[in-house]
Amino acid sequence: SEIYNIALSTGVITTVVFILVAVGAAFSWIISYARVPQLIAEGILGNDPSIFTILLVVNIFFFIGCMFVEAIVVILILTPIFVPIASAAGIDLVHLGIIVTLQVAIGSGTPPFGTSIFTCSAIFDQPYLKVIKNEAPYIAMLLVACVLVSAFPGISLFLGSLTQ
């Protein structure tokens, strides 16, 4: 007897998520076509960036990008830009991937348009403001964790080093 309501609820939640993904994909296509990320990265990083500068820019770009666009879209746009730069600078790509994953998770849960906020709001049937009201301490803790992982690559590479 509840199958109809469950199916309807699932359909609504899925629709909200897919609308966000579709809008994000359209936005990302426009930005990619205009080469905005490449121009910004070249302008900020300059000709000979340090590892610190590259990681700082990666953290900022992925965090801000995921605050406004679906995470997969941000990853698809920014990863091809930053991987060659990071690889050339000698940054371990596993380390870079962990930083990207952390920033995607943080940015997706951060206002104003973090997609995880809207997903939670739809799933738990709670208003947007109630969802974001108490999340600041969690975002702060995640940001501190990301700073530590960025500053000390051994944190993210520790388990991989055990197998060698």
Side-chain angles (χ1 to χ4, degrees):
S1 65
E2 293 185 26
I3 290 178
Y4 174 77
N5 291 333
I6 292 169
L8 181 64
S9 173
T10 302
V12 169
I13 292 168
T14 304
T15 302
V16 168
V17 171
F18 279 123
I19 288 172
L20 290 170
V21 170
V23 170
F27 182 67
S28 71
W29 183 85
I30 292 168
I31 288 175
S32 293
Y33 184 75
R35 292 187 29 102
V36 171
Q38 290 91 337
L39 295 172
I40 292 172
E42 290 169 7
I44 291 173
L45 291 173
N47 294 334
D48 190 26
S50 69
I51 290 175
F52 172 78
T53 305
I54 294 169
L55 291 178
L56 180 65
V57 170
V58 166
N59 276 299
I60 291 170
F61 271 52
F62 277 92
F63 176 70
I64 292 174
C66 288
M67 286 173 60
F68 296 99
V69 183
E70 174 62 32
I72 293 177
V73 174
V74 174
I75 291 170
L76 289 173
I77 293 172
L78 296 180
T79 301
I81 297 168
F82 288 115
V83 166
I85 296 168
S87 184
I91 298 171
D92 189 300
L93 295 182
V94 171
H95 182 226
L96 182 69
I98 291 171
I99 291 170
V100 166
T101 303
L102 274 168
Q103 286 302 345
V104 163
I106 298 166
S108 295
T110 304
F113 302 111
T115 54
S116 294
I117 299 170
F118 293 105
T119 304
C120 287
S121 181
I123 289 172
F124 297 113
D125 195 27
Q126 296 293 319
Y128 173 84
L129 291 175
K130 186 171 183 180
V131 172
I132 65 169
K133 182 179 177 186
N134 297 315
E135 76 173 349
Y138 300 104
I139 298 296
M141 286 187 288
L142 288 169
L143 287 171
V144 168
C146 198
V147 167
L148 290 172
V149 167
S150 296
F152 304 105
I155 295 172
S156 61
L157 302 174
F158 172 70
L159 288 176
S161 68
L162 293 177
T163 61
Q164 296 175 358

